[in-house]
Amino acid sequence: MPTNVQESIDVEVPVSTAYNQWTQFESFPRFMGGVERIEQVDATRTHWVTKIAGVKREFDAEITEQHPDERVAWKSVSGPDQAGVVTFHRLDDKHTRVTLQLDFEPEGVVEKAGDALGVVGKQAKGDLGRFKEFVESRGAEDGAWRGDVDRTPQRGETPAPPA
């Protein structure tokens, strides 16, 4: 049975700063617990190495939708079945609400037990708190990728007409 986790946090930086920092995937180990390394393979693919509750995983993920200052969505293309989206909501010129939603399928006894105890939700909340500290303490992003990635229709969906 898939699990869905959603957490939000308000950060004291402009929306473009929060968004730009989030697109710097290789910096994630600096604020995401359990993420050992992320390699940016190309504009839309990343390779992740994680170790959570003693379980080490490697997987590839693909950005499925990305719009500057609005959202970044991804899904795994190898390894455990997971997907997520982070959205950025401008509150005012200096404040942004960052909302993270994760969908995943726990595997094995350890992950299923952790899921039952809400470990991933607590991890997501902690990661967002560390992101807040990271981006606010810097006052500026350490890079940016402002490319647009349009969502590809899923099997059975009709593509949206061109705008």
Side-chain angles (χ1 to χ4, degrees):
M1 178 179 200
T3 296
N4 177 277
V5 169
Q6 184 170 320
E7 292 290 339
S8 294
I9 196 161
D10 294 349
V11 295
E12 193 174 345
V13 296
V15 69
S16 61
T17 301
Y19 171 86
N20 289 346
Q21 186 59 58
W22 196 275
T23 66
Q24 301 306 293
F25 301 110
E26 292 179 352
S27 72
F28 279 22
R30 296 169 74 183
F31 58 84
M32 281 195 168
V35 176
E36 292 186 347
R37 186 177 79 241
I38 300 177
E39 296 169 24
Q40 185 86 38
V41 177
D42 61 32
T44 60
R45 291 180 78 95
T46 53
H47 179 76
W48 293 61
V49 178
T50 64
K51 187 173 185 181
I52 300 171
V55 178
K56 188 169 186 167
R57 300 219 186 251
E58 288 197 41
F59 61 92
D60 294 321
E62 179 175 30
I63 295 169
T64 57
E65 184 179 13
Q66 183 165 339
H67 303 293
D69 299 342
E70 294 177 17
R71 67 189 294 121
V72 179
W74 66 92
K75 67 175 181 169
S76 59
V77 293
S78 70
D81 189 22
Q82 55 188 318
V85 63
V86 62
T87 55
F88 304 88
H89 307 274
R90 180 186 179 278
L91 300 176
D92 61 34
D93 288 347
K94 296 181 181 178
H95 296 88
T96 304
R97 178 161 297 140
V98 179
T99 300
L100 175 64
Q101 181 179 327
L102 301 171
D103 297 302
F104 63 97
E105 186 74 47
E107 297 177 350
V109 174
V110 172
E111 288 183 12
K112 288 178 182 175
D115 182 41
L117 295 170
V119 170
V120 174
K122 291 173 188 165
Q123 182 73 47
K125 187 176 187 112
D127 290 345
L128 284 177
R130 286 184 293 278
F131 175 75
K132 174 183 174 69
E133 291 172 14
F134 180 76
V135 74
E136 287 179 358
S137 70
R138 300 175 59 81
E141 62 274 25
D142 62 4
W145 190 74
R146 308 274 309 164
D148 239 340
V149 177
D150 287 325
R151 187 172 90 74
T152 54
Q154 302 300 309
R155 191 177 324 178
E157 285 184 335
T158 304

